[in-house]
Structures are given as C-alpha cells and as structure tokens.
Amino acid sequence: MAYYRRGSSADAMARGMGWFSLGFGAAELVAGRGIARWLGMEQHTGLIRAYGVREITAGVGLLAMGDPKPWMWARVAGDVLDIATLATGLNDDNPRRRNVELALGAVAVATALDVLGSGMLHREEEEALTPPHDYSDRSGLPRAPDAMRGSAKDAPIPDELRTPKILQFHPIGMG
Amino acid sequence: MRALVWHGTADIRCDTVPDPGLEHPRDAIVKVTSCAICGSDLHLYDHFMPGMEKGDIMGHEFMGEVVEVGSEAKSALKVGERVVVPFTIWCGDCDQCKRGNYSVCERSNRNKATADKLFGHTTAGLFGYTHLTGGYAGGQAEYVRVPFADRTHVKIPSGLSDEQVLFLGDIFPTGWQAAAQCDIQPTDTVAVWGCGPVGQMTIRSALLLGAKQVIAIDRVPERLSMAKAGGAVTINFAEESVVERLNELTDGKGPEKCIDAVGMEAHATATLDSLYDRAKQALMLESDRAHVLREMIYVCRPAGTLSVPGVYGGLIDKFPFGMSMNKGLTWRMGQTNVNRWTDDLLNRIQEGQIDPSFVITHTVGLDQGPEMYKTFRDKQDGCIKVVLKP
Ligand SMILES: NC(=O)c1ccc[n+]([C@@H]2O[C@H](COP(=O)([O-])OP(=O)(O)OC[C@H]3O[C@@H](n4cnc5c(N)ncnc54)[C@H](O)[C@@H]3O)[C@@H](O)[C@H]2O)c1
Ligand SMILES: [Zn+2]
Ligand SMILES: [Zn+2]
C-alpha cells in the first residue's frame, strides 16, 4: 500500500497545490474566454476550459483521494501540457506576447513546486518504509532500568542546587 | 596537522593547518585520540550562533595524550598522561571557580571585553565555540592547545576505553547537571524534551538519581527507542499531543521537573508559534526558536523546576513569562560546570554503574568529519552520536 501521512509538510504542500488546482481550474472553466483573450490566443478557448476540468480533477484528487503522489505527477504532466500550449502563443504576430511570457513564468513556478512536492512525498514514503534502527538494547546500564532507579541517590549534589525543603512537593522528611 | 575547519554555513572542511604550540606557561598540548561531534556544534554548522569566523577549528568534546606541558602546569600534568578535556575552560582561582561555577569562570575568556558587552559579564572560555567565548581552537583536530591546563583536564586511569570516558568532557556531565539541578525526588516525574545525545544522558541521570518516572519527547523513532531502553516512557511529538500525554501520565497535574535538551533549533509540527518563530528567525528578528521553552512553562506543575541544558544564543520572542512567574517556576540553566561532576562520574563509570558509550552509533576518521556533520544533523542512517578518530 502506498504510504502517505496526513499533516506532514509534504502533505501540506500537496494540499496547497490541491486548493490552487481547484481555484485555478474553476477560473479557467468560468473565464476561459477572458483568459484566452488576455493571452491573445482566442482560438484556444475550448482547450483552456478543458484544462480547467483537468485542474479541478487534480484538485479533487489531491484533496480527497488518499495518496497524493499520483495526483502530484498528474499535475506535473498538466504543467508540461500548459507550457506546450502557451509556447504556441509566443510568435511575433501575437500582440499579447508579453502576457504569454508572464503566464509561462507562473506555470514554471507551479511546475517547480509540483516537482518539489512530489519529491518530498516520495522521500517521506522512503523514510517511513525503511525500519528505524533498533536501539532497544542500548541502555548503557548494567541491569534493567527499574533495578537501577535511584542507585545514584547518594550523588554529591551541592546544596545550592537543591530545592529548599520548604518548596519541595513531598512531605518534609521523605526521600 | 589536520583539523575540521569552519568555512561558513553548512561548510566544514578537513583542512591542513599549522600545529598548535604553547602560548602561556599554564598551557599544555594534547594529541587527540578521540573526539565527538556535539549538538552544540550543529548550532555553529547551521550558523544560528553568532561569532564564528572563517578558519576557526571546531570541536569541544575530545581526549588524548599530553605531549607538551608549560612550566606552570607541570605540577599538575605530565607528558604521556591520558586526559579528557572538559569543554569549559576554567582558571580555578577566580571567585566563580572557587564556588564551582566553572562555566562562568571570570578569567578564561580571552575575549572578555566583547563578552562583557554582549552578556553584561563574561562567561568562561570554551573550545571551538565562537569568538564570544574566547575563540579557542577546538579539538576536532590532531592536536589542541589546552589553556589553564593545570585545571582544565580529567585524568583517565588505564583500563577504560576512549569510548567509555570521552563524554566526560561534555554530554555526560551535561545530562547529569541537567538532572542534578532539578533536585530529583523519588516522587518526581521528570520530562525530558529531546532524545539526542544530551537527552539520552539526561534520561539515564534522572533514573539513577531516583525519579519515579522519566518521560522522553522526540519524533525520531530510533532515538525514542534508545530513550525507552534507558527506562523512559516516550512521546512522539509528531504523532501525539505532548501536553495531553504529559498530563495523562501525571494525573492531570503536569511533571514536577521539565528539562529542555533541545535548544534553539526546536522543531514543532505546524503550530502557530513555530511558523511565527521560523519566519522571524529567517528575517533575523529572532535568533532562537522557543517552542520547547513555551511548552515546558505551560505544562510544568506549579512550583516545579525547569532545567535548560539546551543552548540558546540570543533573543526569543512571545515568551509566556507571566505564566512562569505566576506558577512560581524555578529556572536552572547554563553551560555545564564540567569538572564539578567528573570525579564522581568517572567513579560511576569505573564501578560499572553506567557505560556512556551506549550512545555511539558512528565511528569514523577525521577526514569523514564533514559528511558526518550532515548525517548527524539530518539524523540519517540512525545517527545519534559520532566519534571521530584523528
Ligand atoms: N549546557 C551545555 O553545557 C550543553 C552541552 C552540550 C550540548 N548542549 C545543548 O544540548 C542540546 C541538545 O544536544 P544534542 O547533542 O542532544 O543535540 P541533537 O540536535 O542531536 O538533539 C536534539 C534533539 O531534539 C529533538 N527535538 C527537536 N525539536 C523538539 C521538540 N519540539 N520536542 C522534543 N524534541 C525535539 C530532535 O529531534 C533531536 O533528537 C543542544 O542545544 C546543545 O547545544 C548543551
Ligand atoms: Zn557540546
Ligand atoms: Zn576562573
């Protein structure tokens, strides 16, 4: 079974990307035409809406479908698709070329986060699946701890490090 | 000679440097046979402690053979003797030394003026630990100059291995002092934050000093398993609520004694205060992360004692001091007065009451030191304590 742990920092990152996917996907779906226009790529309105559906799917996957690793990789694949699509808008006769460059920059940042997050999730799995070193025999004591309890009660501890009798918890005279 | 040299954040190299020589009649030169990497060294490695300079030699937990003795140290030390060198350098003559407070010796810090400004009054000189405490070359090297050598040493009888006695120079007395200054009573629960080498020594010390219950807190599984071997009940702070568990284990009253064996690089699992600390530390508005201190103040039983062997370097923020004052807590802290405890502890090792070598997980040559810093810091490969053989 795949390992993942809710609440770890890798998981927090995956959830963050999940919420981002949901939000951005919704925007692509609802405002597909506006985005396309802004990019000077109106012919791709349909494609952008489809990408919105893809983002929402990844978002739901990341937030609600257990192991986030496959969904993180799905996001990475989606990022590559986004980059390829945006690259077609980089030609000189696109008056909105500057916006396409901005969008590419943003996608690059998202890609970096996705790759980083996937890496973190895999490392976490690796660590969790290697059994910890067993140091249960390293007591440093000649007998069982319970048998050693208090065997240094006679230690020379200077008075100034002692709690004044009147401030001690136990009844005076004990111990 | 070869030595581990600080070059900057996470940059320690095994360099060839000039051999040390006697600079003062009370000096001695020790040929190092074993030395260790301490959690305190990690604060330098990560550069959370100010006052390091490029070229400084690291290391303050070391032992070896005396190879040269200055004229004024000759009455106390002879060439050929085997010694552990305590990390706190002490003169033996000042008012503080006379009271046994060696870690605040008034004379051994040769950069006293700077320390006076920074701390109000100087503390002792330390090996390999920034220019605020003297800028003395450290012991992760083939040879070390030991200032005030007539006092600053522990003679080791034959028949004990390096591994058994090396930690007398730092972590064993540190864990011991952390527990001793809690004045442990047979009815006490002692909670220890941090199961690194210092935490491990603290756990054993609290047990030997008679604590009814020792509770150890960390999140590294193998460190928790070693804590358990020493008789502690363990709490994994990544998986359970520390405060809830501590209350559960003490009938809702909290531990009488709380010990911070973590220090300024405390981790926390996404609590509000930890995010706040990390942000502030990154912006250099705060030098230390105080999560453990806050947790101790909160959970400690009123009228209890907080003992802080963990090292802090500067300023902390959002500190619930009102809580501490109103609960009437006692604070005990400081660098360890190493030589104050070593005679007694050496005896206990000789008698077989404890063998501190249990904590060693890695032994390598000096040249592998730099990579071991990383292994130790990142707790890779089950690493708990590294011993280097120059
Ligand atoms: N007072 C002295 O004279 C003296 C001497 C030696 C070391 N020290 C200090 O003692 C501290 C510990 O040293 P070490 O060698 O054991 O180092 P270490 O770094 O190996 O151990 C610290 C441990 O604390 C754990 N930890 C981190 N956050 C925690 C949290 N919130 N709750 C519980 N545990 C947490 C870590 O997982 C780690 O196992 C350091 O600050 C070091 O500088 C002080
Ligand atoms: Zn140390
Ligand atoms: Zn002194």
Side-chain angles (χ1 to χ4, degrees):
Chain A
M1 216 195 75
Y3 173 91
Y4 65 96
R5 183 155 56 88
R6 284 288 178 228
S8 70
S9 43
D11 179 65
M13 180 130 175
R15 290 178 159 259
M17 293 318 286
W19 285 110
F20 171 76
S21 272
L22 280 187
F24 187 59
E28 281 180 311
L29 200 59
V30 176
R33 184 181 311 277
I35 294 174
R37 217 178 274 148
W38 183 76
L39 290 168
M41 299 168 69
E42 275 168 29
Q43 72 279 19
H44 284 323
T45 301
L47 196 59
I48 290 176
R49 292 216 161 104
Y51 285 178
V53 174
R54 185 200 79 211
E55 288 279 0
I56 291 172
T57 315
V60 172
L62 283 169
L63 290 169
M65 302 288 285
D67 184 8
K69 282 187 284 294
W71 299 101
M72 284 299 273
W73 287 116
R75 270 199 51 88
V76 173
D79 293 333
V80 172
L81 219 55
D82 284 348
I83 291 172
T85 309
L86 283 168
T88 65
L90 275 181
N91 49 31
D92 286 336
D93 35 286
N94 182 354
R96 299 283 170 83
R97 192 194 153 107
R98 181 84 200 106
N99 291 350
V100 176
E101 285 168 1
L102 280 177
L104 269 172
V107 176
V109 172
T111 314
L113 288 175
D114 288 334
V115 171
L116 184 78
S118 309
M120 281 165 70
L121 288 164
H122 280 283
R123 233 167 301 130
E124 190 181 281
E125 178 176 67
E126 218 169 278
E127 270 169 31
L129 296 183
T130 34
H133 287 68
D134 179 14
Y135 296 139
S136 55
D137 57 344
R138 288 181 174 238
S139 78
L141 307 167
R143 290 189 298 284
D146 269 334
M148 296 302 293
R149 193 179 305 278
S151 48
K153 265 203 303 242
D154 60 326
I157 295 173
D159 282 344
E160 93 260 14
L161 292 184
R162 297 270 183 199
T163 312
K165 272 267 181 283
I166 199 164
L167 290 182
Q168 290 176 6
F169 289 100
H170 59 76
I172 292 173
M174 218 188 94
Chain B
M1 66 165 184
R2 286 171 315 129
L4 297 191
V5 174
W6 191 89
H7 285 267
T9 309
D11 185 2
I12 283 171
R13 303 178 203 165
C14 187
D15 289 346
T16 301
V17 298
D19 286 359
L22 299 176
E23 292 175 20
H24 184 277
R26 287 180 76 175
D27 287 354
I29 304 294
V30 168
K31 180 179 193 303
V32 179
T33 52
S34 298
C35 55
I37 306 179
C38 174
S40 300
D41 292 328
L42 295 180
H43 304 321
L44 307 179
Y45 184 65
D46 294 332
H47 208 176
F48 282 119
M49 277 303 272
M52 286 302 279
E53 286 171 20
K54 218 176 161 140
D56 287 347
I57 298 178
M58 301 286 300
H60 58 265
E61 198 169 25
F62 57 96
M63 64 178 297
E65 188 193 318
V66 179
V67 290
E68 227 184 311
V69 187
S71 56
E72 285 174 32
K74 283 210 160 91
S75 54
L77 211 54
K78 285 178 192 52
V79 168
E81 280 180 318
R82 190 167 167 236
V83 291
V84 166
V85 180
F87 77 96
T88 29
I89 305 170
W90 60 295
C91 76
D93 311 316
C94 72
D95 285 348
Q96 293 289 6
C97 282
K98 281 188 193 138
R99 295 156 143 260
N101 298 331
Y102 308 139
S103 76
V104 289
C105 168
E106 294 168 347
R107 293 198 188 144
S108 59
N109 185 353
R110 58 181 172 180
N111 296 338
K112 180 175 177 327
T114 320
D116 275 342
K117 272 206 204 91
L118 202 80
F119 296 144
H121 302 282
T122 190
T123 55
L126 307 177
F127 288 97
Y129 218 71
T130 85
H131 290 261
L132 306 177
T133 49
Y136 293 107
Q140 286 163 10
E142 288 178 282
Y143 295 91
V144 201
R145 175 175 80 94
V146 179
F148 298 99
D150 52 324
R151 302 285 189 165
T152 308
H153 68 259
V154 184
K155 283 189 201 176
I156 301 301
S158 56
L160 293 169
S161 69
D162 275 20
E163 285 69 18
Q164 279 175 292
V165 293
L166 172 60
F167 306 133
L168 281 172
D170 184 351
I171 57 168
F172 187 21
T174 294
W176 186 265
Q177 179 172 314
Q181 67 194 2
C182 287
D183 186 21
I184 293 172
Q185 301 300 317
T187 45
D188 281 349
T189 291
V190 179
V192 180
W193 276 255
C195 299
V198 171
Q200 299 294 342
M201 296 298 159
T202 307
I203 291 163
R204 272 81 180 163
S205 301
L207 179 91
L208 293 176
L209 289 168
K212 183 181 85 185
Q213 176 174 239
V214 182
I215 304 174
I217 305 153
D218 206 301
R219 62 168 176 187
V220 183
E222 63 271 17
R223 292 183 177 212
L224 288 169
S225 93
M226 192 184 268
K228 205 165 167 199
V233 177
T234 58
I235 301 179
N236 183 331
F237 73 83
E239 292 172 358
E240 322 166 76
S241 155
V242 173
V243 171
E244 270 170 35
R245 284 276 285 139
L246 284 175
N247 281 330
E248 242 167 63
L249 288 162
T250 53
D251 301 323
K253 295 189 160 194
E256 287 91 342
K257 312 286 158 76
C258 295
I259 302 180
D260 171 0
V262 177
M264 65 172 107
E265 294 181 57
H267 290 277
T269 41
T271 53
L272 216 54
D273 76 313
S274 74
L275 293 177
Y276 181 82
D277 280 336
R278 283 202 179 241
K280 279 216 131 178
Q281 208 171 37
L283 294 170
M284 310 234 271
L285 293 171
E286 177 180 52
S287 54
D288 304 21
R289 300 200 294 255
H291 179 74
V292 169
L293 294 175
R294 294 187 192 112
E295 204 159 67
M296 294 205 309
I297 295 176
Y298 186 78
V299 79
C300 188
R301 188 175 301 202
T305 299
L306 310 180
S307 162
V308 187
V311 165
Y312 289 83
L315 306 177
I316 55 182
D317 199 354
K318 293 282 172 289
F319 196 64
F321 201 72
M323 207 190 288
S324 171
M325 184 272 165
N326 284 287
K327 289 173 85 173
L329 303 181
T330 298
W331 288 84
R332 298 274 191 188
M333 54 191 115
Q335 300 283 359
T336 307
N337 302 312
V338 178
N339 270 99
R340 187 170 197 169
W341 310 105
T342 42
D343 287 351
D344 181 43
L345 294 182
L346 178 59
N347 258 331
R348 294 181 191 279
I349 296 172
Q350 275 187 297
E351 285 167 8
Q353 198 176 71
I354 184 167
D355 178 356
S357 66
F358 76 88
V359 78
I360 303 172
T361 53
H362 291 66
T363 304
V364 298
L366 196 63
D367 48 323
Q368 275 169 275
E371 59 198 78
M372 275 301 147
Y373 264 88
K374 192 170 181 327
T375 306
F376 175 44
R377 182 197 57 187
D378 298 341
K379 301 161 183 78
Q380 292 161 342
D381 191 28
C383 184
I384 299 186
K385 187 75 177 175
V386 180
V387 171
L388 306 169
K389 299 279 184 179

